[in-house]
């Protein structure tokens, strides 16, 4: 719903709002300083102080975004690794079962082979779904 709401609002999202607020704040502060009854030297010093504060805050936001990005990347890597291990384990279990049953009865082995193929397809579909979910979640951040 929030994604549809964003699209209906001309594509405005949280980043656009923050950037607009930051730019508006800078312009507002600059105009206020220009119209304040201060000496030129004091005004320039106030502007430099304000610019330094904005630069520092932007650096903090950049570092926060970088840390969050790394955290999401590591989570995605771990989730992908865990999913791969689960699929491999499931495949190994199925192969063992197939071999056992194949040795018991060759006719049943054909049915089991079909079951294995189906299970592998389901595992691949699940992996693709989880990867798509992960990509969707990462695009939302």
């Amino acid at each position: 719903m929030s994604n549809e709401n964003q699209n209906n609002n001309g594509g405005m999202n949280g980043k656009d709002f923050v950037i607009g607020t930051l730019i508006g704040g800078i312009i507002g502060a600059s105009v206020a300083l220009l119209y304040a009854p201060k000496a030129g030297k004091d005004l320039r010093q106030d502007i430099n102080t304000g610019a330094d504060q904005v630069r520092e805050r932007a650096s903090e936001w950049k570092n926060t975004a970088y840390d969050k990005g790394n955290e999401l990347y590591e989570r995605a890597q771990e989730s992908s690794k865990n999913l791969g291990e689960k699929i491999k384990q499931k495949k190994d279990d199925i192969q063992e079962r197939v071999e056992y049953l194949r040795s018991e009865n060759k006719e049943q082995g054909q049915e089991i082979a079909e079951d294995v193929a189906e299970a592998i397809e389901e595992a691949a579909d699940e992996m693709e779904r989880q990867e798509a979910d992960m990509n969707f979640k990462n695009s939302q951040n």
Side-chain angles (χ1 to χ4, degrees):
M1 182 175 158
S2 64
N3 206 9
E4 292 173 357
N5 196 14
Q6 287 176 355
N7 290 338
N8 291 338
N9 289 334
M12 184 173 178
N13 60 26
K15 287 190 288 188
D16 293 338
F17 179 76
V18 171
I19 290 170
T21 302
L22 182 64
I23 291 171
I26 292 169
I27 291 171
S30 298
V31 168
L33 289 173
L34 291 174
Y35 284 103
K38 287 189 174 186
K41 186 176 183 179
D42 292 337
L43 179 61
R44 286 190 299 274
Q45 184 177 2
D46 287 350
I47 291 173
N48 286 335
T49 301
D52 288 341
Q53 290 173 346
V54 168
R55 214 175 289 122
E56 184 178 312
R57 179 163 278 173
S59 177
E60 290 172 5
W61 286 352
K62 177 195 70 129
N63 291 338
T64 300
Y66 181 77
D67 292 342
K68 290 262 187 202
N70 282 339
E71 181 182 320
L72 289 173
Y73 175 76
E74 289 171 5
R75 268 198 261 159
Q77 289 281 11
E78 186 175 324
S79 178
S80 178
K81 180 182 173 185
N82 290 341
L83 180 60
E85 290 172 359
K86 286 179 183 178
I87 289 173
K88 183 182 182 309
Q89 182 63 40
K90 188 79 155 175
K91 179 189 75 101
D92 291 344
D93 291 346
I94 291 171
Q95 283 178 337
E96 287 176 15
R97 183 174 175 209
V98 167
E99 291 301 321
Y100 170 76
L101 292 175
R102 198 175 268 167
S103 67
E104 291 292 317
N105 189 341
K106 291 218 178 224
E107 189 174 306
Q108 288 180 345
Q110 181 63 31
E111 292 177 46
I112 293 172
E114 291 172 4
D115 289 344
V116 168
E118 184 179 326
I120 289 172
E121 282 183 36
E122 289 175 4
D125 290 344
E126 177 66 17
M127 186 172 167
E128 288 175 2
R129 186 191 63 74
Q130 286 188 359
E131 185 176 348
D133 287 347
M134 225 173 359
N135 288 338
F136 177 75
K137 287 178 185 175
N138 286 341
S139 71
Q140 294 298 312
N141 295 327

